[in-house]
Amino acid sequence: MRIVSRMVDYTQRRALKEIMTRLPAFSVDNLVRITYLAEFLTKNQDDKEVIRFMRTTFKSNHPSVQLAKDIMERLSPACRDRLVNNLMISNLVIGNSLRENEIYEREGFVPPLLIVISPTMRCNLNCYGCYAGEYAQDYGLPFELVDRIITEGKELGIYFITFSGGEIFTREDIWDIYRKHNDVYFQLYTNGTLIDRDAARRLSELGNVAPMISVEGMEKRTDERRGAGTYKKIMQAMDYLAEEGVPFGASCTETRDNMDEICGEEFVDLLVAKRAMVLWYFQYIPIGRKPAMELVPTPEQRDEFRRRVKEIRNGKPIFVGDFWNDGYFSGGCIAGGRQYIHINANGDVEPCVFCHFAVDNIKEKSLRDALQSDFFKAIQARQPYSDNLLRPCMLIDCPDVLAEVVRDHGARPTHPGAETLLTELRDPIRQYSAAYACYADRAWEKDYVAKGYARGYAKMCS
């Protein structure tokens, strides 16, 4: 067996070396060759299907080809190297194999793809509707604990860490985390106002950090929510990052008021011109600072937004993720340890960044033990929560699931007011869920089941 293992390891390393050799010499032919090598390295059949889809996309001269070209040509050498080695190879290829095979066979569970950590809740802005606005602002995770979480994650094959908060750039010591764990890829959610030329240069030299900058749309709407002058600081930060060859993206919270603007051509074209490579969309959830149902996008808006995102993907060279409408890509909800968890600044281990309930605290348990809690097992046992993967979320699409798992496992609110999802907001959310189901069910039958897509997605969920 050792001889076979060494042979497999040798062939994998040869294939990885071939990928690294072809990356700098960008061409569609090389992209296609890389997909064949990636497919060879991947054991998971669903991942192989995704890679084959990417290969077909590249061959069709999709805008993603231009995005791939930008990644290879625009990034600094360190950023390009860490993106490929840390995220693609260590986490997606080698890490997937470790998580889905060795860890599963030895310990009976599959660790998630990534961990989201909020090392601090301190922030230099005071945005209304902030999902993290009701957490206490005066505490944070000590350096040693963040270091331990990441170290334990690597032992489980997790080399992708997302930092949220709070504003991560208020923690100067986090730079030492990036340096110490230079084999990990870090994604940061940030308001961008503290990214100056020096910070961009440091990120360029490190190579393993990609900021995602929060923006509400164009200048007027962004400054209305985030404060006068914020938009100009964000645009300047993007320029600094682009000039230093740092990969970055934008993060937008979809509300009833800004949905048309953030999926509009003017805004998306601005981000492409600024050289943003990623665009994350998060639908507003009535949690955090002054939760308000009137900010939640209407069912009609959400349905239209899903269609608009498809157009952006097919027409613009930017990677787009729509967390509440992309359930059919991920096989439903990915929270509760299925693909990710959130550890807040008090150490509470939450199912996701928007689900502020926990049974464990990382200060008292190892990451390995926290991931195997009965609370998370109960969530995973119910995933997907609906046969319709356009309704993936237990907070706004299937709220009875949230009520059930919190009740059955004694999960506690992790800040005052978190329980409102299950009390005064429960009936409005159930009404919203029922109203949206009419749109989602019609779209699911017409756009997915009728076209034969649902079978593949159901396989992903099993």
Side-chain angles (χ1 to χ4, degrees):
M1 290 297 293
R2 285 184 179 179
I3 294 176
V4 173
S5 178
R6 287 175 181 173
M7 289 176 64
V8 171
D9 182 67
Y10 174 74
T11 55
Q12 285 186 335
R13 291 183 182 279
R14 283 287 302 272
L16 292 173
K17 185 176 181 180
E18 179 71 10
I19 289 176
M20 294 302 294
T21 300
R22 292 186 178 278
L23 281 174
F26 179 86
S27 69
V28 174
D29 286 343
N30 270 347
L31 276 181
V32 171
R33 291 189 185 100
I34 287 171
T35 63
Y36 281 111
L37 291 168
E39 184 180 351
F40 166 74
L41 289 168
T42 303
K43 294 182 180 180
N44 184 284
Q45 290 302 312
D46 290 329
D47 292 341
K48 287 180 180 291
E49 290 179 13
V50 171
I51 292 169
R52 293 182 192 119
F53 173 77
M54 291 173 61
R55 181 159 60 242
T56 301
T57 301
F58 292 150
K59 288 180 177 179
S60 68
N61 201 32
H62 186 272
S64 58
V65 173
Q66 180 60 47
L67 178 59
K69 185 174 187 292
D70 290 345
I71 290 172
M72 292 303 103
E73 294 182 351
R74 290 181 180 177
L75 298 189
S76 72
C79 288
R80 184 173 60 237
D81 175 77
R82 297 303 179 190
L83 176 67
V84 174
N85 277 301
N86 295 10
L87 180 61
M88 297 180 183
I89 294 177
S90 292
N91 200 62
L92 296 182
V93 178
I94 298 174
N96 263 356
S97 179
L98 176 61
R99 294 189 299 270
E100 296 179 1
N101 296 288
E102 184 178 332
I103 300 295
Y104 178 72
E105 292 173 6
R106 187 176 71 232
E107 304 187 38
F109 83 106
V110 178
L113 177 72
L114 75 149
I115 305 168
V116 180
I117 306 172
S118 293
T120 181
M121 285 300 164
R122 292 197 306 271
C123 188
N124 59 321
L125 300 183
N126 188 34
C127 310
Y128 68 81
C130 174
Y131 84 92
E134 288 304 306
Y135 287 113
Q137 309 291 298
D138 58 351
Y139 58 73
L141 301 177
F143 178 96
E144 294 76 16
L145 184 54
V146 176
D147 179 37
R148 172 171 74 81
I149 295 168
I150 296 172
T151 299
E152 291 181 0
K154 289 193 288 187
E155 293 170 356
L156 297 172
I158 304 169
Y159 287 82
F160 186 24
I161 300 293
T162 292
F163 281 150
S164 188
E167 173 51 53
I168 191 63
F169 282 98
T170 64
R171 285 280 300 260
E172 182 64 28
D173 62 341
I174 293 297
W175 291 95
D176 294 327
I177 289 287
Y178 306 146
R179 282 188 286 269
K180 180 173 182 179
H181 296 281
N182 62 2
D183 54 347
V184 169
Y185 202 77
F186 294 92
Q187 177 181 242
L188 316 180
Y189 285 98
T190 170
N191 61 45
T193 60
L194 301 180
I195 299 177
D196 56 15
R197 171 72 71 183
D198 179 64
R201 187 171 294 118
R202 293 168 75 182
L203 293 173
S204 177
E205 292 168 354
L206 283 166
N208 62 335
V209 184
M212 302 293 138
I213 301 176
S214 298
V215 60
E216 309 304 323
M218 305 304 284
E219 184 169 15
K220 182 177 183 294
R221 199 172 297 277
T222 296
D223 284 359
E224 280 178 353
R225 184 177 186 218
R226 297 185 170 269
T230 301
Y231 179 84
K232 285 185 172 61
K233 292 179 181 178
I234 288 173
M235 294 298 107
Q236 183 64 76
M238 289 183 177
D239 288 342
Y240 287 144
L241 294 168
E243 289 163 9
E244 296 295 334
V246 179
F248 71 93
S251 172
C252 300
T253 299
E254 311 156 26
T255 70
R256 193 169 301 186
D257 299 330
N258 75 345
M259 289 193 77
D260 289 340
E261 187 165 315
I262 61 176
C263 70
E265 191 163 16
E266 179 184 9
F267 177 69
V268 177
D269 284 346
L270 170 69
L271 295 178
V272 171
K274 286 288 181 179
R275 300 185 178 181
M277 296 178 176
V278 182
L279 173 53
W280 294 121
Y281 288 121
F282 297 89
Q283 182 174 321
Y284 172 78
I285 302 293
I287 56 172
R289 183 175 292 127
K290 297 180 180 179
M293 285 298 297
E294 58 267 24
L295 287 176
V296 178
T298 66
E300 297 93 335
Q301 284 180 312
R302 182 174 169 186
D303 187 55
E304 177 58 31
F305 196 82
R306 175 182 60 83
R307 303 173 197 278
R308 178 59 187 140
V309 167
K310 283 186 177 181
E311 295 175 5
I312 296 171
R313 283 180 173 140
N314 289 328
K316 306 295 182 183
I318 189 169
F319 175 87
V320 182
D322 181 357
F323 269 70
W324 273 266
N325 289 329
D326 279 351
Y328 63 94
F329 280 130
S330 60
C333 173
I334 64 173
R338 176 173 171 246
Q339 289 292 354
Y340 98 104
I341 60 167
H342 177 229
I343 301 174
N344 70 24
N346 190 45
D348 298 312
V349 186
E350 300 172 333
C352 83
V353 295
F354 302 100
C355 185
H356 300 171
F357 296 89
V359 298
D360 289 320
N361 191 287
I362 202 66
K363 298 172 186 175
E364 302 161 358
K365 283 195 173 183
S366 69
L367 178 63
R368 178 181 268 97
D369 289 341
L371 286 170
Q372 298 183 77
S373 73
D374 290 340
F375 181 43
F376 286 170
K377 288 178 181 177
I379 292 172
Q380 292 178 41
R382 290 163 173 78
Q383 292 168 334
Y385 314 123
S386 168
D387 291 336
N388 182 343
L389 298 183
L390 296 178
R391 300 171 56 211
C393 180
M394 69 175 174
L395 302 183
I396 59 170
D397 294 325
C398 304
D400 289 345
V401 173
L402 174 65
E404 185 178 86
V405 294
V406 167
R407 180 197 65 216
D408 290 352
H409 296 278
R412 65 183 184 280
T414 54
H415 62 75
E419 70 281 355
T420 57
L421 282 177
L422 304 177
T423 54
E424 58 255 46
L425 290 179
R426 183 176 182 182
D427 286 343
I429 289 174
R430 293 180 76 179
Q431 292 167 11
Y432 168 87
S433 173
Y436 177 65
C438 296
Y439 291 87
D441 289 349
R442 183 165 56 245
W444 181 247
E445 290 296 323
K446 177 183 176 182
D447 297 339
Y448 301 93
V449 175
K451 295 179 180 179
Y453 294 158
R455 180 182 301 174
Y457 299 128
K459 178 184 176 184
M460 289 167 59
C461 298
S462 60

